[in-house]
Amino acid sequence: MLKAIVFDIDGVITNLSHFHFLAWKSIYSFHGVALLHTEWKHYAGKPRLWIAKEIAKRYKLKLTDKVLGEIVDEKNDLFIHLIKHGLTKNDIINGVKQLIDHAKERDLKLIAVSTSANAKLEMKCMELNNKFDYISDYSVHQLSSLSAKEKTNVSNVLFALHYLGLRTDECIGLEDHIDGIREYNHVGIYSVAIANYDDTIKLEANYSVDLPEQINLEEIIFNYYKKDSSDI
């Protein structure tokens, strides 16, 4: 029985890429790098330290581990400043607010996940924190002990489900990246892809739409239950 919907924050609820880009561009400008927006697609969604090292490598900067660590911290501080002053409810992706409201009307639990430690702040800026039953929080002991490699959306989801007393087969997971879809499939969460016209992710997801505004909750729920009947 369907009891919850899982939302990836960055890419499903909102797009934070521009805030990340501006923060990295500003920080590296002090090291003589004019980071271009066209380059950003190579770094988007990767861990902060990895990005710091890759940009330094690309521009042949000889930076110590200490300096790279300082860059990562400065970037995060600037990113937080940018979202505090720039991220609002108007940045919620078209169609998602309606989906959230429809899910609440059906008494479904709502879970927001991210590999970012800023998830709660991001949701607060968009005035969504009170609508969700669980928001990623890497300050909790079980998650704070994870390595950077282990910090995935699905690790957050599994913790959230344990916290809420739910099973993976009672959830629908909304994702815009193929790795997230694969993770959901692996643990038995019904995967719904925001495919952005990418046929590859469509093939791997249980259900897909090209854009968030095309999401029809009733249709997704119908297909969620349909897959159960097809297994009989």
Side-chain angles (χ1 to χ4, degrees):
M1 180 177 183
L2 180 62
K3 295 183 179 179
I5 299 181
V6 181
F7 294 75
D8 180 21
I9 294 177
D10 192 3
V12 174
I13 294 178
T14 190
N15 285 317
L16 298 172
S17 181
H18 187 60
F19 293 98
H20 286 295
F21 168 70
L22 290 177
W24 282 115
K25 180 179 173 66
S26 177
I27 294 300
Y28 265 104
S29 68
F30 291 101
H31 295 272
V33 172
L35 191 63
L36 301 175
H37 198 276
T38 50
E39 298 175 63
W40 178 242
K41 64 181 180 180
H42 301 296
Y43 308 119
K46 301 292 193 302
R48 289 195 296 265
L49 184 57
W50 183 91
I51 294 173
K53 289 179 177 179
E54 286 298 307
I55 295 175
K57 186 191 302 182
R58 180 180 179 87
Y59 287 92
K60 297 179 172 57
L61 302 177
K62 295 182 179 179
L63 303 177
T64 65
D65 288 344
K66 181 176 183 295
V67 172
L68 286 168
E70 290 170 353
I71 286 174
V72 166
D73 291 341
E74 289 168 2
K75 180 270 169 181
N76 193 51
D77 290 343
L78 181 54
F79 174 76
I80 289 172
H81 175 80
L82 289 171
I83 62 173
K84 276 184 175 178
H85 294 85
L87 184 65
T88 72
K89 62 182 180 181
N90 294 325
D91 293 298
I92 300 172
I93 293 174
N94 187 30
V96 175
K97 179 65 167 58
Q98 293 86 340
L99 175 60
I100 291 169
D101 290 340
H102 291 162
K104 294 299 288 184
E105 289 170 4
R106 278 183 159 270
D107 293 323
L108 295 172
K109 300 287 186 184
L110 300 184
I111 299 167
V113 294
S114 170
T115 55
S116 169
N118 303 312
K120 286 192 171 182
L121 173 62
E122 293 159 5
M123 295 293 281
K124 182 178 180 181
C125 289
M126 293 183 287
E127 301 178 24
L128 289 175
N129 50 323
N130 292 329
K131 287 184 175 289
F132 279 70
D133 300 278
Y134 182 89
I135 299 171
S136 290
D137 184 3
Y138 276 114
S139 66
V140 297
H141 175 70
Q142 291 92 330
L143 293 177
S144 61
S145 61
L146 296 177
S147 67
K149 187 176 181 179
E150 292 169 325
K151 288 182 177 180
T152 63
N153 277 358
V154 79
S155 65
N156 260 298
V157 174
L158 295 177
F159 183 84
L161 298 186
H162 177 75
Y163 176 83
L164 296 171
L166 300 172
R167 302 193 313 266
T168 56
D169 62 351
E170 296 174 324
C171 301
I172 286 170
L174 300 173
E175 251 290 349
D176 68 318
H177 286 106
I178 195 164
D179 288 344
I181 291 296
R182 287 169 177 165
E183 288 174 353
Y184 286 159
N185 291 343
H186 180 69
V187 299
I189 292 173
Y190 186 82
S191 58
V192 176
I194 312 299
N196 294 304
Y197 302 99
D198 183 343
D199 289 337
T200 305
I201 192 171
K202 290 179 183 179
L203 290 172
E204 301 224 17
N206 296 124
Y207 181 91
S208 68
V209 294
D210 283 310
L211 300 170
E213 53 263 40
Q214 296 171 343
I215 292 175
N216 182 309
L217 182 58
E218 301 304 319
E219 188 171 334
I220 293 174
I221 292 173
F222 173 79
N223 281 279
Y224 166 85
Y225 284 110
K226 184 179 177 181
K227 55 93 180 172
D228 288 333
S229 62
S230 65
D231 292 336
I232 298 175

